[in-house]
Amino acid sequence: MAYLGEPQHTIAVLQKYNFHFQKKFGQNFLIDTHVLERIISEAGVTKDDFVVEIGPGIGTMTQYLCESAGSVAAVEIDKNLIPILQDTLSEYDNVEVINDDILKVDIAALAQEKNGGRPIKVVANLPYYITTPIIMGLFESHVPIESITVMVQKEVADRMQCGPGSKDYGALSLAVQFYAKPEIVANVPPNCFMPRPNVGSAVIRLTRHKNPPVCVADEKLMFRLIRASFNQRRKTLVNGLKNASDLSFTKEQIETAIEAIGQPLTIRGEALTLEQFAQLANEFSNMGHS
Ligand code: SAM
């Protein structure tokens, strides 16, 4: 039975193993059963699912996942947690604990091996110091994903969900929204964790698009335009693209492309929607750029 969501059980396990939290691994363990139940229900986990959990910690959410999923693979970097997980997960036979760095694990191969290549669900209370590389890695490395339901820093959840006009709008918003539909499904205060983080948290669900929401001939070029625009977000789009070291357009070409998508030459990149970045990339592709 899942029991680690109760703070006294977590404390007992930490004491039994004399476990010391490692700040460098972003270790903030969940100690709130309502939040845990909410994450599992928002992730829509069923017995048909193979779930990858990133950073199981002492196995708090893993216990819930084992009870609701068909099978679970939990990837944990901290070797000190492995004997603890063997203990706290001993009554479940549908979980494999992998002692590795999630950024080095071939999740596509794991999905192939464990789920016959069918789309998987990712559920996690993420280590906040590597939220962006984890999420972008999952999307960009062609892992078959159905959804990603994760606890992240509140500010990062806002960045993933917002559009033009918000101060949080940036390259992460556009990248996430190109691949998935983001929905913040819960806000979680620091007292739901041990130790307490010094930032607010939120659970966000990213449901993978079945078809891309925009038509773009060269995705890589579009993302280079996006990065260049937001690297210098106080500059106009013309200057942002002209100054970018990995783009080699002339000022005239940039102005022609911006006019072709019906935008003024004074516009800043931060004002463009995903659709408009796709159109801009297509204009450059049509000029023969890649
Ligand atoms: N899931 C547990 C919970 O909710 O109580 C722990 C979540 S804690 C925020 C993040 C976990 O990710 C820690 O157990 C930490 O050791 C682990 N972790 C940190 N960096 C990692 C990495 N690169 N690969 C795999 N796990 C990592």
Side-chain angles (χ1 to χ4, degrees):
M1 206 197 84
Y3 60 90
L4 285 171
E6 302 288 350
Q8 68 272 27
H9 292 147
T10 289
I11 291 167
V13 169
L14 297 176
Q15 286 178 346
K16 179 175 169 189
Y17 288 91
N18 191 24
F19 178 79
H20 296 283
F21 290 101
Q22 296 213 58
K23 220 176 169 181
K24 68 169 181 187
F25 288 145
Q27 292 175 338
N28 299 95
F29 298 166
L30 270 168
I31 47 161
D32 187 299
T33 52
H34 300 293
V35 172
L36 286 152
E37 283 159 16
R38 185 77 189 272
I39 295 172
I40 303 296
S41 99
E42 292 292 352
V45 176
T46 73
K47 284 287 167 195
D48 289 333
D49 290 318
F50 166 64
V51 174
V52 171
E53 185 190 7
I54 297 159
I58 59 170
T60 311
M61 192 151 70
T62 327
Q63 293 185 333
Y64 284 84
L65 289 170
C66 288
E67 291 189 2
S68 48
S71 62
V72 180
V75 182
E76 174 56 60
I77 197 169
D78 185 354
K79 66 176 178 358
N80 295 330
L81 287 165
I82 305 305
I84 305 183
L85 287 163
Q86 277 159 2
D87 180 1
T88 59
L89 302 176
S90 61
E91 71 178 75
Y92 302 104
D93 59 6
N94 60 343
V95 57
E96 180 186 355
V97 174
I98 300 167
N99 184 199
D100 208 340
D101 177 347
I102 188 66
L103 298 177
K104 297 192 178 138
V105 174
D106 185 344
I107 312 272
L110 195 65
Q112 184 61 42
E113 179 196 329
K114 303 274 185 188
N115 207 36
R118 290 187 302 281
I120 65 168
K121 287 184 177 156
V122 174
V123 184
N125 169 17
L126 286 180
Y128 294 171
Y129 73 106
I130 42 170
T131 300
T132 301
I134 290 176
I135 290 181
M136 293 321 298
L138 287 167
F139 285 137
E140 286 169 356
S141 61
H142 301 288
V143 179
I145 297 273
E146 184 172 333
S147 63
I148 301 175
T149 307
V150 282
M151 180 85 71
V152 297
Q153 198 178 322
K154 168 83 177 97
E155 194 191 310
V156 176
D158 289 338
R159 263 192 261 153
M160 290 188 206
Q161 205 189 27
C162 68
S166 158
K167 70 171 176 28
D168 294 320
Y169 186 56
L172 182 66
S173 329
L174 286 153
V176 164
Q177 291 165 29
F178 178 70
Y179 292 107
K181 180 171 116 193
E183 293 163 283
I184 294 177
V185 294
N187 287 316
V188 182
N191 63 1
C192 296
F193 303 85
M194 182 185 294
R196 293 181 183 191
N198 43 25
V199 291
S201 301
V203 180
I204 190 161
R205 180 177 58 223
L206 309 174
T207 309
R208 186 86 156 95
H209 293 306
K210 296 230 166 11
N211 298 304
V214 294
C215 219
V216 59
D218 185 343
E219 264 172 56
K220 290 211 169 97
L221 173 60
M222 179 177 78
F223 282 116
R224 273 165 38 223
L225 297 177
I226 289 172
R227 273 195 303 272
S229 307
F230 287 97
N231 274 347
Q232 301 188 305
R233 66 185 296 156
R234 298 277 111 221
K235 293 225 155 75
T236 61
L237 182 59
V238 176
N239 284 333
L241 299 185
K242 197 162 57 66
N243 296 342
S245 58
D246 62 343
L247 296 170
S248 54
F249 313 130
T250 63
K251 189 170 184 223
E252 290 66 39
Q253 288 169 329
I254 296 169
E255 289 178 351
T256 306
I258 293 174
E259 279 172 344
I261 67 164
Q263 295 302 316
L265 296 177
T266 50
I267 196 164
R268 287 182 179 166
E270 65 186 5
L272 294 194
T273 61
L274 178 61
E275 174 79 46
Q276 289 166 331
F277 273 111
Q279 289 170 353
L280 192 64
N282 289 341
E283 289 301 326
F284 287 118
S285 292
N286 290 341
M287 292 177 194
H289 289 285
S290 58

